[in-house]
Amino acid sequence: MPLHHPNEDTLLRHASRRLPSALSLAVELHLDACPQCRNFVIQCEVLGGTLLENSGEESMRPEALAEVLQWVETEEKPAPKFQPAQTWPASPDGLPLPRALRFCSFGSWHWVAPGMRFSRVIAPGGAGDGSLILLKAGAQRELPLHGHEGIELTQVLSGRFSDHLGHYGVGDLIERDDDILHRPVVDPDGECICLIATENKLVFQGFIARLVQAWTGV
Ligand SMILES: [Zn+2]
């Protein structure tokens, strides 16, 4: 069971289809691995639809959302529905990927820093306002210190890494926003592959990192 989850607000925006499609895809990956967030989203979709149907958006009481969330926390949850994968997706070097990526296409691995490669992920219909990459980093590799314009969602697909706020493994989704500068470091026992979805470009602190960003477009 994952230990790190998207914020409630991000899950609500996903449920109401108001999240950029790149971020929504990262959330979908997390939902595949996390029954807790999956149930939350299912209940929000059902209750959000019912509220809009019954009251109309304009006349919705301000406390309605709090009541929905209270209901979600206390009510028994229905079993999630699964859809079988059409074809099983794989990364550019054949690593099996989660089912939620089955309609995406992937670019080749490109060098981005020593021991790190990225592959651009093309979602069906594009990434909306965001960008989407797979990042593969070797053991003990460190991503340059960076911040964000808007939200960054990192879903761990294999391996483990940490930053100054925690330690993360497969299934975890790490949400960071403009207030946080961080420098993720891969664990010493093996490489780590993550899907990273951002609303806007990352904001690197050092000149070399910004130079690499200018050339690669990450
Ligand atoms: Zn979760």
Side-chain angles (χ1 to χ4, degrees), residues 2 4-6 30 34 36-37:
H4 298 271
H5 310 272
H30 180 73
C34 183
Q36 178 187 325
C37 291

Side-chain angles (χ1 to χ4, degrees), residues 117-131:
R117 289 176 185 278
F118 79 95
S119 157
R120 202 164 289 289
V121 180
I122 318 283
D129 301 328
S131 94

Side-chain angles (χ1 to χ4, degrees), residues 15 20 32 44 48 71 83 92 104 108 118 127 130 135 144 167 186 188-189 213 217:
D32 265 359
C44 287
W71 191 92
Q83 288 181 336
C104 296
S108 322
F118 79 95
L135 183 72
H167 185 227
V186 177
D189 57 354
Q213 182 179 40

Side-chain angles (χ1 to χ4, degrees), residues 108-217:
S108 322
W109 288 117
H110 292 286
W111 183 92
V112 67
M116 280 189 205
R117 289 176 185 278
F118 79 95
S119 157
R120 202 164 289 289
V121 180
I122 318 283
D129 301 328
S131 94
L132 205 51
I133 60 166
L134 288 175
L135 183 72
K136 180 162 69 166
Q140 290 185 300
R141 293 294 176 177
E142 194 173 300
L143 205 66
L145 184 67
H146 66 276
H148 320 94
E149 287 173 358
I151 295 173
E152 175 195 80
L153 301 180
T154 300
Q155 176 70 20
V156 185
L157 303 179
S158 72
R160 287 177 293 189
F161 77 92
S162 55
D163 62 14
H164 67 293
L165 293 172
H167 185 227
Y168 317 105
V170 174
D172 285 338
L173 186 144
I174 300 93
E175 178 161 352
R176 297 286 177 258
D177 60 22
D178 358 18
D179 295 335
I180 295 178
L181 276 174
H182 70 156
R183 178 183 283 141
V185 185
V186 177
D187 277 18
D189 57 354
E191 71 173 17
C192 182
I193 298 181
C194 297
L195 179 111
I196 302 178
T198 51
E199 259 183 316
N200 294 299
K201 284 191 185 278
L202 306 183
V203 184
F204 288 101
Q205 297 299 299
F207 174 73
I208 297 295
R210 293 205 306 278
L211 184 71
V212 170
Q213 182 179 40
W215 281 98
T216 60

Side-chain angles (χ1 to χ4, degrees), residues 39 42-43 70-79:
N39 283 329
I42 289 171
Q43 297 301 328
Q70 175 69 26
W71 191 92
V72 166
E73 277 169 16
T74 52
E75 286 294 306
E76 207 159 296
K77 315 295 188 295

